[in-house]
Amino acid sequence: MIIKTVRSVSEALKGATDSMTMMFGGFGLSGIPENAISQLVKLGVKELTCISNNAGVDDFGLGLLLQKKQIKKMISSYVGENAEFERQMLSNELDVELIPQGTLAERCRAAQAGFPAFYTPAGYGTEVAEGKETREFNGKMYVLEQAFKADFAFVKAWKGDTAGNLIFKGTARNFNPNMCGAATITVAEVEELVPAGELDPNQIHIPGIFVQRIFKGSDYEKRIEQLTVRKR
């Protein structure tokens, strides 16, 4: 069995350089690869193209990379929680591509599965379809969307083993699984790392074949984006 474990986050990010395209799993602030993002900030790599459902908040998640002006382009479906993102976008400091959420997820999954492109009805007749091939199927128009091409995919799982098999928890399962194997190198950080064979095969969400490097993360903050409580 191939062991995918690396000793540290710095070893996991070996080869990350300027001008790369990188995927980041998570939904809002749930299930984001906190350790990988912090290490990218320390490395100071810049001119990055980032593919992520959202851009974090001003002082957390991908917002940390935005603060340091390390991101050249954001490819996302939702960016409403980040004031710095809005400022950079409106001042033309940041290139932004907004994609329907389902299309974003499917472009990741298509890359994972090896499909070069797919047709979707989402966005037909809007700016989303400008410059793209369209085609009619059964009386309905569809837009051709291409699979993503990324150098790194950074994902965060609840539990994994040394062979790279992963189990996700809750909302973290939205985008993280689709990004595994959707880039040249997939790096998984996990809260709990166990020996190969210890995970119940029936509980595994992503097999290790989609992961190149795995490490045990630490110091997770797990912030809440919008804390809402009811009155007593």
Side-chain angles (χ1 to χ4, degrees):
M1 184 173 291
I2 299 175
I3 300 300
K4 310 290 182 69
T5 310
V6 294
R7 292 169 293 180
S8 64
V9 63
S10 58
E11 187 177 342
L13 268 66
K14 185 178 180 180
T17 58
D18 294 351
S19 304
M20 282 189 165
T21 297
M22 298 178 174
M23 293 180 167
F24 296 87
F27 190 78
L29 296 182
S30 174
I32 63 172
E34 296 179 31
N35 286 248
I37 292 172
S38 296
Q39 183 64 19
L40 286 169
V41 173
K42 292 178 183 178
L43 289 174
V45 291
K46 55 188 184 298
E47 297 290 305
L48 300 175
T49 295
C50 295
I51 301 168
S52 177
N53 176 63
N54 59 282
V57 294
D58 290 282
D59 61 344
F60 196 61
L62 291 182
L64 297 172
L65 291 171
L66 284 169
Q67 281 183 346
K68 299 291 186 179
K69 304 289 185 67
Q70 292 173 255
I71 300 177
K72 176 185 69 174
K73 180 177 182 178
M74 275 297 308
I75 301 174
S76 301
S77 67
Y78 175 72
V79 293
E81 302 294 335
N82 196 315
E84 176 60 17
F85 179 98
E86 180 183 11
R87 189 198 67 76
Q88 290 188 28
M89 180 175 69
L90 294 177
S91 62
N92 293 320
E93 297 174 35
L94 180 69
D95 189 8
V96 178
E97 182 179 350
L98 293 177
I99 300 175
Q101 195 167 77
T103 302
L104 180 72
E106 190 65 14
R107 288 180 69 180
C108 295
R109 196 191 70 81
Q112 177 193 72
F115 298 133
F118 61 93
Y119 283 99
T120 174
Y124 177 76
T126 72
E127 292 181 5
V128 171
E130 288 183 4
K132 297 175 183 176
E133 179 185 332
T134 59
R135 184 174 173 182
E136 182 178 343
F137 293 93
N138 300 318
K140 188 172 183 177
M141 295 303 298
Y142 290 77
V143 181
L144 183 68
E145 294 282 3
Q146 295 192 13
F148 285 127
K149 294 179 181 178
D151 300 293
F152 276 90
F154 297 107
V155 302
K156 192 261 182 177
W158 168 54
K159 187 181 290 188
D161 67 20
T162 54
N165 298 301
L166 304 176
I167 298 175
F168 300 94
K169 180 180 282 189
T171 312
R173 200 174 167 187
N174 279 6
F175 278 89
N176 277 302
N178 283 6
M179 291 183 175
C180 294
T184 302
I185 297 174
T186 295
V187 176
E189 56 181 82
V190 297
E191 294 181 41
E192 184 177 351
L193 184 62
V194 300
E198 190 167 314
L199 298 179
D200 179 354
N202 295 303
Q203 300 301 315
I204 291 172
H205 296 136
I206 287 294
I209 190 67
F210 290 115
V211 176
Q212 280 71 50
R213 302 171 188 171
I214 186 170
F215 69 96
K216 187 181 184 302
S218 61
D219 304 318
Y220 287 109
E221 292 188 44
K222 297 185 180 181
R223 291 196 198 177
I224 299 174
E225 234 171 322
Q226 297 282 352
L227 179 62
T228 303
V229 296
R230 68 181 183 182
K231 295 180 181 178
R232 291 187 178 183

